[in-house]
Amino acid sequence: MTATLGTNRYGKSRIRLVKVRRERDPHEIVDLTVDVQLEGAFDPMYTDGDNTACVATDTMKNTVYAFARGDRLDCIERFALRLAEHFLAQPAVARARVAIEEQPWSRLAAGGAPHPHAFMREGAGAWTAAVTRAPEKTEVVSGLADVVLLKTTDSAFAGFPRDRFTTLAETADRILATSMTASWTYASVDSDFGARERIRAALLETFAAHQSRSVQHTLYAMGEAALAASDAISDVTLTLPNRHHLLVDLRPFGLDNPNEVFVATDEPYGLIHATVRRT
Amino acid sequence: MTATLGTNRYGKSRIRLVKVRRERDPHEIVDLTVDVQLEGAFDPMYTDGDNTACVATDTMKNTVYAFARGDRLDCIERFALRLAEHFLAQPAVARARVAIEEQPWSRLAAGGAPHPHAFMREGAGAWTAAVTRAPEKTEVVSGLADVVLLKTTDSAFAGFPRDRFTTLAETADRILATSMTASWTYASVDSDFGARERIRAALLETFAAHQSRSVQHTLYAMGEAALAASDAISDVTLTLPNRHHLLVDLRPFGLDNPNEVFVATDEPYGLIHATVRRT
Amino acid sequence: MTATLGTNRYGKSRIRLVKVRRERDPHEIVDLTVDVQLEGAFDPMYTDGDNTACVATDTMKNTVYAFARGDRLDCIERFALRLAEHFLAQPAVARARVAIEEQPWSRLAAGGAPHPHAFMREGAGAWTAAVTRAPEKTEVVSGLADVVLLKTTDSAFAGFPRDRFTTLAETADRILATSMTASWTYASVDSDFGARERIRAALLETFAAHQSRSVQHTLYAMGEAALAASDAISDVTLTLPNRHHLLVDLRPFGLDNPNEVFVATDEPYGLIHATVRRT
Amino acid sequence: MTATLGTNRYGKSRIRLVKVRRERDPHEIVDLTVDVQLEGAFDPMYTDGDNTACVATDTMKNTVYAFARGDRLDCIERFALRLAEHFLAQPAVARARVAIEEQPWSRLAAGGAPHPHAFMREGAGAWTAAVTRAPEKTEVVSGLADVVLLKTTDSAFAGFPRDRFTTLAETADRILATSMTASWTYASVDSDFGARERIRAALLETFAAHQSRSVQHTLYAMGEAALAASDAISDVTLTLPNRHHLLVDLRPFGLDNPNEVFVATDEPYGLIHATVRRT
């Protein structure tokens, strides 16, 4: 039997990139997922394990982040064209395909105006309600599920204890992103359930405006604001995963990265859960 | 060894319910997912297989749909309270929990005004772009992924062939719902990529306004409108799954259902895929 | 501007089909997901809304179930060939594509031998453990997540109360399928954690062997068996979603369906959750 | 209004950990996902942004990897107990919860015997078949979807080009993991479709036995082996995502890591796709 290589391509998928444009207020964010695929004269890689012409997919990833440093990313087609041209110029490459998905974010409102640093992924999350009914007691807990929020500044994390397993640097200015799930208990079955809109507004505005020293710190402020927004509720419970955005180290490529180019990560994530109660 | 039953509960989860309020223009829709869980004196079910007190979970589902017929569903807390009260009144039930998730929809815009019958799930879908670059040729294909759309009227499906496997009734007025994925090819690398906003508007407005005889019929009209919206593109490809909404048969419960209460289903689904080209 | 229809196809996706071959012991099951896509002279559907040649995707679904009645389904390629030939023979169809995914199931073991009626989806589920440690108390809870089980007989559901919302028929013989999540509490931190294998075997063997009158009934028997399998544990908690398999009504096509051809459904589902404790 | 902090906890979720025990042949692997949650006197974190007692969730993650270095991980309960004891000893912590999910892997067979270095995630993947039928031509393509494979050695990646964006080190010995999707074209509609078992065995045995210089290199060998296993097929197409396993840097904690403790990552991933044809 003889075999031969047919159609083939390879590359890197799901390169997650968030860029913050901070040069002036208000900040702007761009959220991209990039895939790179190359075709060309790659037969020796397959048939002989000869990697001489094999651009590492790790290098593709680095290239995407490095190119993102100097690009405003206001047109994904132009960014894809630049990347494709770069990859096509590599030895052995006959065709380069760069595919980008751009996730839209909306600016959060605060005090009736768009907030300069805080954003919400489009899709407002779902409203929830759970009624538990026993002969002697009825409980109404309402809430919001999966509201994805991000702020580009006014978030620090410092002063935490350092033991022999601690490597995290202190930071005075980081991205804070979460997918908020909230629930609140109504004082009675005759409460004004229309309060949910005001509670939602209070949660989002506080997320935007808070000078955060930790997710826990912001959670508590959000809880307080929700309680202040409506007398109808007696407590609020918030679950805030910390969706880490890691600053990319661009120094190996001779570039700085002044808090602009980030990797959005899914795993692992911090998870903060607490109830704030009216007293 | 002796064993005994501890904490226990049972019920029905993921009851998918869409209600259209048609009594006047504009239509309104409510999209709920309901879970019911009961606790009580259910030991004989577990220990002896005695189902005398076992409200079937299928009955719970029917109850949710029947109650939805006469409820405006403008307050999920009140709907949950009514359901919980009903289930608590069943023999053996000591506690009923009804949890509801409400998925928000936005009204589509058409001609600058909110459309009376057409809706979009919040979250605008993602923008996409794919550049394929070879020495002799560069192709730029852009698009939109996963834009969830629904219209409550102006959609028919009739006149299709009937063979011995056909059971589907003809309909002059059904819900049409889809999760649109679209892509279009730009005429050149110097095209105006800003055209994507106009193309998106044309696709959505046509979905809303079209007098649909089938998904295929609407797909073609959407494609034509996209081509008309921008000279920068030479074709548009649309993938439109048909997310079936099935009218619930409420007659067993002595109720009519004048095109109001539907089950939203995920599987199976129709899938329509076509390219419309400029000529 | 003039537009014209380019490449196009349509069809039905995710047709979920489970067939039980019962003609002799042991039973066998086949679990398929079928997609049908047609190409052809369908331009009038798109351009004029003329459905004369439009085989309804609902008809495609019916056809798949009807063909499954008389086919042993022991070769998915031959089943796809038969279906494709049928669809190609319809007016206007120039090309039919039938794609099938077959999900493998393993026979459960009971008493060292393969069980004639009980099956497990390959993939044994994950082992879990959760330690909660406070100064005064340490709790060790271990378990299993997402073990997908199915039995083709020895499962009934009857004798449940009938109210005005009840439409479910009583049944003496149905498919019982679930995705088991189990957890058990160890009596102490010095327990024999190697007991997990015996507990797992007891849960699976009891699922297989039990003469089930309801999911609750089988849950309790499984819990008792787990407690009997190991003195190291003091309770066991089981969560058993009821993954409904609905018998397809083939009478419109002139066929019977003696408990053989089923639709596997994901939503809604029954959900049974209980703890069984050692006393 | 006054508010007060109620129930609260925080921690790190989805810490993905794969350990290879290499001390003797055959290798063994353990695949864990760890969640840590702490409760305690954390009020100042919430109310004042005082992080003095706030063990960083990043430190929790580091601790899990460092503890994994010296633990055989043959009992997830004992590993969770050790971690919980460590976290409970931190200032302010009143309760520590460590939850672990262990994903089972099976040893691949090769030549009838269990392979010493190659593994398959339980669940054999699904079989697939797609028939495309036109009047003049019928094509039968069958395959396998989502077969998750891993080998702990006999995989290198070196000799690739280095440009200014390359940071990846060359390696002579890495983990190779993938989720294989394969498809092959039968020579005719009268082919022996029972060949699928032999083709599957050839793909898996070659994955296990191959001295890999790259995913591409192994892909080609697998394709050749599949063609050799059955004359019934004319080509085989393989899609092999490279599920990267990154060696954890334990030096900050005073530990070495001789190719033992890895982070399993989902994103980004390499993606290799090629057809091997009979000539």
Side-chain angles (χ1 to χ4, degrees), chain C:
Chain C
M1 187 205 76
T2 16
T4 189
L5 186 66
T7 309
N8 64 89
R9 58 179 186 269
Y10 82 100
K12 197 74 152 193
S13 289
R14 300 286 307 169
I15 303 169
R16 294 282 294 110
L17 159 64
V18 168
K19 177 159 189 178
V20 182
R21 290 198 292 257
R22 303 177 181 276
E23 57 261 38
R24 59 174 185 275
D25 246 6
H27 290 177
E28 294 168 327
I29 59 170
V30 184
D31 180 341
L32 306 184
T33 302
V34 182
D35 289 19
V36 178
Q37 286 280 312
L38 304 184
E39 295 173 51
F42 294 132
D43 296 44
M45 290 164 53
Y46 289 87
T47 55
D48 304 320
D50 173 354
N51 295 324
T52 311
C54 177
V55 177
T57 65
D58 189 76
T59 301
M60 297 176 192
K61 178 196 71 178
N62 288 345
T63 305
V64 168
Y65 289 119
F67 272 54
R69 173 68 183 92
D71 194 303
R72 281 186 58 82
L73 302 182
D74 43 11
C75 176
I76 54 177
E77 287 84 359
R78 299 242 164 263
F79 187 53
L81 281 164
R82 285 185 56 217
L83 286 166
E85 185 177 5
H86 171 83
F87 289 118
L88 185 64
Q90 306 303 304
V93 177
R95 181 187 300 260
R97 182 175 192 274
V98 176
I100 301 180
E101 184 177 285
E102 178 183 5
Q103 194 64 50
W105 291 77
S106 300
R107 214 168 271 281
L108 274 183
H115 192 278
H117 311 130
F119 301 85
M120 182 170 64
R121 274 272 284 273
E122 292 186 7
W127 295 105
T128 59
V131 168
T132 309
R133 184 96 158 76
E136 73 291 354
K137 193 186 168 200
T138 302
E139 190 186 61
V140 181
V141 176
S142 295
L144 275 163
D146 299 328
V147 181
V148 179
L149 303 171
L150 182 150
K151 57 193 288 184
T152 54
T153 191
D154 293 341
S155 166
F157 188 55
F160 49 87
R162 306 195 75 85
D163 68 15
R164 64 191 170 107
F165 299 120
T166 306
T167 55
L168 187 71
E170 304 204 334
T171 176
D173 193 9
R174 61 172 182 174
I175 285 185
L176 180 59
T178 192
S179 174
M180 176 183 75
T181 296
S183 61
W184 47 86
T185 308
Y186 283 102
S188 87
V189 301
D190 300 315
S191 296
D192 170 20
F193 301 126
R196 71 183 196 179
E197 298 282 358
R198 289 194 304 282
I199 295 167
R200 179 177 181 278
L203 290 169
L204 300 191
E205 290 191 17
T206 306
F207 173 85
H210 191 243
Q211 299 291 323
S212 173
R213 294 184 190 170
S214 69
V215 176
Q216 288 89 338
H217 190 215
T218 298
L219 181 154
Y220 190 77
M222 293 165 74
E224 279 192 310
L227 292 172
S230 169
D231 287 341
I233 65 173
S234 55
D235 64 45
V236 57
T237 297
L238 290 159
T239 303
L240 299 182
N242 191 349
R243 295 188 155 200
H244 307 297
H245 284 66
L246 311 178
L247 194 69
V248 182
D249 182 4
L250 298 177
R251 288 171 304 179
F253 324 127
L255 297 168
D256 64 349
N257 187 359
N259 239 3
E260 287 205 353
V261 180
F262 295 84
V263 189
T265 63
D266 286 337
E267 292 182 345
Y269 58 91
L271 183 61
I272 321 298
H273 174 91
T275 297
V276 183
R277 245 197 285 276
R278 193 183 305 278
T279 48

Side-chain angles (χ1 to χ4, degrees), chain B residues 65-84:
Chain B
Y65 288 119
F67 272 54
R69 174 67 183 92
D71 194 304
R72 281 186 59 81
L73 301 184
D74 41 13
C75 176
I76 55 177
E77 286 84 359
R78 299 242 165 264
F79 186 53
L81 281 164
R82 287 185 56 216
L83 286 166

Side-chain angles (χ1 to χ4, degrees), chain D residues 132-148:
Chain D
T132 308
R133 183 94 159 77
E136 74 291 354
K137 192 186 169 200
T138 302
E139 189 187 60
V140 181
V141 176
S142 294
L144 276 164
D146 299 327
V147 180
V148 179

Side-chain angles (χ1 to χ4, degrees), chain D residues 170-230:
Chain D
E170 305 207 333
T171 176
D173 193 9
R174 61 172 185 174
I175 285 185
L176 180 60
T178 192
S179 174
M180 175 184 75
T181 295
S183 62
W184 46 86
T185 307
Y186 283 102
S188 86
V189 301
D190 301 313
S191 297
D192 169 20
F193 301 125
R196 71 183 195 177
E197 298 282 359
R198 288 195 305 281
I199 295 166
R200 179 176 181 277
L203 290 168
L204 300 191
E205 291 192 17
T206 306
F207 173 84
H210 191 243
Q211 299 291 323
S212 175
R213 294 185 190 170
S214 69
V215 176
Q216 288 88 338
H217 189 213
T218 298
L219 182 153
Y220 190 76
M222 293 167 74
E224 280 192 310
L227 292 173
S230 170

Side-chain angles (χ1 to χ4, degrees), chain A residues 151-168:
Chain A
K151 58 192 289 182
T152 53
T153 189
D154 293 341
S155 167
F157 188 53
F160 50 87
R162 306 196 75 86
D163 67 13
R164 64 190 171 109
F165 299 121
T166 305
T167 55
L168 187 71

Side-chain angles (χ1 to χ4, degrees), chain A residues 11-277:
Chain A
K12 197 74 152 193
S13 290
R14 302 284 307 166
I15 303 169
R16 295 279 296 111
L17 159 64
V18 168
K19 176 157 190 180
V20 182
R21 291 199 291 259
R22 304 176 181 273
E23 58 261 39
R24 58 172 186 276
D25 245 7
H27 290 177
E28 294 169 324
I29 59 170
V30 184
D31 179 341
L32 306 183
T33 303
V34 182
D35 288 22
V36 177
Q37 286 280 312
L38 304 184
E39 297 174 50
F42 294 131
D43 296 44
M45 289 163 54
Y46 289 88
T47 55
D48 303 319
D50 172 354
N51 295 324
T52 310
C54 178
V55 177
T57 66
D58 190 74
T59 301
M60 297 177 194
K61 179 195 70 178
N62 289 345
T63 305
V64 169
Y65 288 119
F67 272 54
R69 174 65 184 94
D71 194 303
R72 280 187 59 81
L73 301 184
D74 42 12
C75 176
I76 54 177
E77 287 84 359
R78 299 244 165 261
F79 186 53
L81 281 164
R82 287 185 55 216
L83 286 165
E85 186 178 2
H86 170 83
F87 290 120
L88 185 64
Q90 307 303 306
V93 177
R95 180 187 300 259
R97 183 176 191 273
V98 176
I100 302 181
E101 185 177 282
E102 177 183 4
Q103 194 64 48
W105 291 77
S106 300
R107 212 169 273 280
L108 274 183
H115 192 280
H117 311 131
F119 302 86
M120 180 170 64
R121 274 273 284 273
E122 293 187 7
W127 295 105
T128 58
V131 168
T132 309
R133 183 98 159 74
E136 74 292 349
K137 193 183 167 202
T138 303
E139 189 187 60
V140 181
V141 176
S142 295
L144 275 164
D146 299 328
V147 181
V148 179
L149 303 171
L150 181 149
K151 58 192 289 182
T152 53
T153 189
D154 293 341
S155 167
F157 188 53
F160 50 87
R162 306 196 75 86
D163 67 13
R164 64 190 171 109
F165 299 121
T166 305
T167 55
L168 187 71
E170 305 206 334
T171 175
D173 193 11
R174 61 173 184 175
I175 285 185
L176 180 60
T178 191
S179 174
M180 176 183 74
T181 295
S183 61
W184 45 87
T185 308
Y186 282 102
S188 87
V189 300
D190 300 315
S191 298
D192 170 20
F193 301 127
R196 71 182 194 180
E197 296 285 358
R198 287 195 304 281
I199 295 166
R200 179 176 181 277
L203 290 168
L204 300 192
E205 290 190 19
T206 307
F207 173 84
H210 191 244
Q211 299 291 324
S212 174
R213 294 185 191 168
S214 69
V215 176
Q216 288 89 337
H217 189 213
T218 297
L219 182 153
Y220 190 76
M222 293 167 73
E224 278 191 310
L227 292 173
S230 170
D231 287 342
I233 65 173
S234 54
D235 64 44
V236 57
T237 297
L238 290 161
T239 304
L240 299 183
N242 191 351
R243 294 186 155 203
H244 306 296
H245 284 66
L246 310 178
L247 193 69
V248 182
D249 182 2
L250 299 176
R251 288 171 302 180
F253 323 128
L255 298 169
D256 64 349
N257 187 1
N259 238 3
E260 289 206 353
V261 180
F262 296 85
V263 190
T265 63
D266 286 338
E267 290 182 348
Y269 58 91
L271 185 59
I272 322 297
H273 174 91
T275 297
V276 183
R277 246 195 285 274

